[in-house]
Amino acid sequence: MPLFQPRRRDLLKVAVAAPALLAVSARAGILLGSDSPFALGVASGEPSPEGVVIWTRLAPRPLDPDGGMPAQRVPVRWEVAEDERFGRILRAGTAVADPAAGHAIHVEVAGLRPAHGYFYRFIADGVASPVGRTRTAPAPGAAVDRLRFCFGSCQKYEAGHYAAWRHVVAEDPDLIVFLGDYIYEGAPADGGVRRHLNPEPVDLAGYRARYATYKLDPLLQAAHAAAPWISTWDDHEVANDYAGALDENNGDPAAFLRRRAAAYQAYWEHLPLRAAAHPAGPNARLYRTLDWGRIAQFQVIDDRQYRGTRACQPPELLAAHRPYLSGVLDCPQRHDPVRTMLGAAQERWLLDALGATRARWNLLAQQTLMVPFAMIDPAHPEQGAVVHPADRWEGYPAARDRIYRRWADAGTPNPVVLSGDIHAFTAADVRHPDRPDAAPIAAEFVGGSITSLNHHPAWRDEARANPGIRFAENEVRGYARVELREQGAEVLFRGLADARDPGSAVSTIARFEVEAGRAGIASAA
């Protein structure tokens, strides 16, 4: 089956079926041959009332270290129009695809109308890209009848196909929120539905090839072309369970930071992010807020880059560069208020944002399960749930409780946590750490995983053992759909019949309602 198909005119049909990939022009001599320079598709993100980021990356041979591009800067025209045929182009310009950035293009389009839909495309050396669809945010403080968005995470290429993205596109969301694990960094493995196409990445060329593997998938491309994205990362964009400058094996921090710099650069090159998120070596500021009129504010955080030391670890593990303990029994260090999940600067920023926001709904978009959730030691099940996952917020309870207290003390309107990482649909009431028997102060929803597996046999038993968990399902893959209105929110967990099937059906496996002015989950079905 050829990779590139002729472009269709109906964007929605294209987005549901496959991305609109254009056959290459014979004029594309500078782009080295007959392959399309837009093999990785197009994307948009970070919508504001005046504009949006539009993205592409020139890569006629995406798995090559240089993407098949020459070591020179290439001018690329970009166009934004209200109609898919580009009969009246509203904004246009020329960007430069630089080899230092993998020939990626990030255009921060400005001067657009609030709460409005647009189409966009790129043209390089006479070759047109697929057409993407995007929209701007409503004006600041504007009344909004409804915001519909889908959120998901954890899309391991080998574990399944991307039927979830086919159904996300069909939901016609205003936004797509991705909460981490866009790629998985492991070496190719057998036993899945497909294999990673390059060895485990440790440098920029390797991470570029891994992103290209994922972005060549037509259903993922379709989701990027259908709506603007808001993205944050988790661990697998760099390495499993990393914390700050330490990998899971407690390896050499200097070597790991070199790897992290390469991974952060590749992430930047492949996602529609603003210039403010551009990495400087192993550092990049990804935390930010995004407003959607007066109905919602997303507080997007990064709980990987700035983490403090892991709790309750035998000291010899670090000294001997041996793997950390992912599950620990309680110890005083776990509760040390100095330990941080977000770093001091990001935490101050978040607490300030939670006090300043006037949005009707406040959505904390973050990586991993936040509510207290201890696990059962299979060797001693009679002890109950006493093992604390060191890689989640459970390993940093004092940092978590500062956010909980800030919601309550500042009167943050209608806080809701959106989470990923654990490969399991989960819904929970969040309670005040000082008043655990009182009414909830927030709700948390984990939107399953796009493909990644979680066959942990005790998951449901552990969920029942942890107060506040209202729903837990770890054998079904999928995503969450949220519909926000002034008076309430509806959250649907959308589960695939079989994530190994690119044409899988989807169904609603759980439905929740949250009422404005009443924290927690009002009803579950």
Side-chain angles (χ1 to χ4, degrees), residues 189-210:
D190 296 321
V193 300
R194 48 190 177 178
R195 298 181 89 243
H196 285 137
L197 302 181
N198 69 307
E200 179 172 349
V202 295
D203 58 15
L204 181 55
Y207 281 106
R208 282 173 174 170
R210 186 57 57 92

Side-chain angles (χ1 to χ4, degrees), residues 241-317:
D241 284 6
Y242 83 92
L246 286 175
D247 63 18
E248 65 178 329
N249 297 313
N250 288 312
D252 173 33
F256 179 73
L257 287 176
R258 289 193 294 271
R259 180 177 184 178
R260 197 176 87 175
Y264 283 8
Q265 176 67 21
Y267 182 86
W268 156 260
E269 291 176 358
H270 290 88
L271 273 297
L273 297 165
R274 293 189 181 274
H278 193 285
N283 305 303
R285 175 169 170 167
L286 210 59
Y287 59 89
R288 72 269 193 204
T289 59
L290 186 144
D291 292 290
W292 200 264
R294 75 180 184 197
I295 199 170
Q297 182 180 91
F298 294 86
Q299 294 105 24
V300 185
I301 62 175
D302 169 5
D303 77 6
R304 284 287 166 191
Q305 184 176 178
Y306 313 103
R307 287 187 183 201
T309 57
R310 302 178 179 107
C312 312
Q313 300 288 315
E316 63 269 19
L317 299 183

Side-chain angles (χ1 to χ4, degrees), residues 120-378:
Y120 63 94
R121 68 182 178 188
F122 300 88
I123 302 170
D125 200 33
V127 181
S129 75
V131 174
R133 183 177 60 176
T134 192
R135 66 181 303 107
T136 51
V144 178
D145 291 336
R146 185 207 74 176
L147 166 61
R148 176 183 293 174
F149 66 92
C150 294
F151 73 92
S153 63
C154 305
Q155 56 178 9
K156 189 173 183 179
Y157 181 84
E158 296 179 322
H161 290 288
Y162 292 154
W165 289 126
R166 180 192 303 276
H167 294 292
V168 166
V169 171
E171 305 273 14
D172 195 23
D174 300 305
L175 283 170
I176 294 172
V177 180
F178 195 79
L179 299 175
D181 293 345
Y182 190 97
I183 62 164
Y184 280 69
E185 83 295 353
D190 296 321
V193 300
R194 48 190 177 178
R195 298 181 89 243
H196 285 137
L197 302 181
N198 69 307
E200 179 172 349
V202 295
D203 58 15
L204 181 55
Y207 281 106
R208 282 173 174 170
R210 186 57 57 92
Y211 274 96
T213 301
Y214 282 62
K215 295 187 79 70
L216 283 169
D217 185 282
L219 297 177
L220 177 57
Q221 285 196 24
H224 275 296
W229 282 44
I230 306 170
S231 304
T232 190
W233 51 39
D234 193 24
D235 55 337
H236 288 289
E237 286 87 353
V238 183
N240 181 57
D241 284 6
Y242 83 92
L246 286 175
D247 63 18
E248 65 178 329
N249 297 313
N250 288 312
D252 173 33
F256 179 73
L257 287 176
R258 289 193 294 271
R259 180 177 184 178
R260 197 176 87 175
Y264 283 8
Q265 176 67 21
Y267 182 86
W268 156 260
E269 291 176 358
H270 290 88
L271 273 297
L273 297 165
R274 293 189 181 274
H278 193 285
N283 305 303
R285 175 169 170 167
L286 210 59
Y287 59 89
R288 72 269 193 204
T289 59
L290 186 144
D291 292 290
W292 200 264
R294 75 180 184 197
I295 199 170
Q297 182 180 91
F298 294 86
Q299 294 105 24
V300 185
I301 62 175
D302 169 5
D303 77 6
R304 284 287 166 191
Q305 184 176 178
Y306 313 103
R307 287 187 183 201
T309 57
R310 302 178 179 107
C312 312
Q313 300 288 315
E316 63 269 19
L317 299 183
L318 183 61
H321 301 305
R322 289 163 52 195
Y324 87 107
L325 295 183
S326 60
V328 298
L329 298 177
D330 205 5
C331 74
Q333 185 192 25
R334 194 172 77 90
H335 302 276
D336 184 348
V338 175
R339 296 180 62 251
T340 177
M341 188 78 151
L342 303 180
Q346 181 181 196
E347 185 173 307
R348 285 194 301 271
W349 164 86
L350 177 60
L351 298 183
D352 287 346
L354 296 178
T357 177
R358 295 296 177 265
R360 181 68 162 174
W361 296 92
N362 285 276
L363 306 165
L364 185 62
Q366 58 94 45
Q367 289 80 356
T368 193
L369 185 66
M370 198 172 196
V371 293
F373 194 106
M375 302 177 72
I376 297 171
D377 181 353

Side-chain angles (χ1 to χ4, degrees), residues 251 336 392 423:
D336 184 348
R392 302 182 198 152
H423 310 170

Side-chain angles (χ1 to χ4, degrees), residues 57-58 66 69-76 95-105 208 265 269:
R57 179 186 167 214
L58 304 183
D66 57 7
M69 289 292 295
Q72 63 187 79
R73 291 156 58 91
V74 177
V76 179
V96 175
D98 194 318
H103 289 95
I105 298 287
R208 282 173 174 170
Q265 176 67 21
E269 291 176 358

